[in-house]
């Protein structure tokens, strides 16, 4: 099965930046795109950003538009999340996920992603 490994999390000061990476063991023939989600303690897992492999189209949650940028290195089956101007609401465990099913839209639906990484912790200090 596909294995996803996130890295790059850590402790940053408010206003600082981090770059997360997600490496997949392999890209399935049917893989449609990759997404980033985050989950804070006591909160539901929420959509952050996604990217489609074929054309590189990107999608963002309103809460991170203008601050976060998702990108990919298709040859290395790797997706990145550049996070700028971090604040306390961004503190969470960040997960990357692989989407296999190309339904219309649906990038923010956790149920449409088939494989998930173990998560990487992002902590913001003030």
């Amino acid at each position: 099965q596909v294995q996803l490994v996130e890295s790059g999390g850590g402790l940053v000061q408010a206003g600082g930046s981090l770059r997360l990476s997600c490496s997949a063991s392999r890209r399935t023939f049917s893989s449609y795109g990759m997404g980033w989600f985050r989950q804070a303690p006591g909160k539901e897992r929420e959509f952050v950003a996604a990217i489609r492999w074929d054309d590189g189209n990107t999608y963002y949650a309103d809460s991170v538009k203008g601050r976060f940028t998702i990108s990919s290195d298709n040859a290395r089956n790797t997706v990145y999340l550049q996070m700028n101007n971090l604040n306390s609401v961004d503190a969470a465990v960040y997960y990357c996920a692989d989407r296999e099913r190309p339904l219309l839209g649906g990038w923010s639906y956790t149920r449409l992603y088939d494989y998930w990484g173990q998560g990487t912790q992002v902590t913001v200090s003030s």
Side-chain angles (χ1 to χ4, degrees), residues 43-59:
K43 304 294 184 180
E44 295 184 347
R45 188 169 299 184
E46 66 173 343
F47 172 72
V48 176
I51 186 167
R52 183 181 175 185
W53 290 115
D54 286 350
D55 57 14
N57 284 351
T58 57
Y59 312 87

Side-chain angles (χ1 to χ4, degrees), residues 5 9 21 30 32 39 43 56 75 86 89 99 103 106 108-109 111:
V5 180
S21 299
S30 60
Y32 189 51
Q39 187 167 24
K43 304 294 184 180
L86 288 162
V89 304
R99 179 179 175 180
L103 277 66
S108 66
Y109 303 159
R111 67 181 180 275

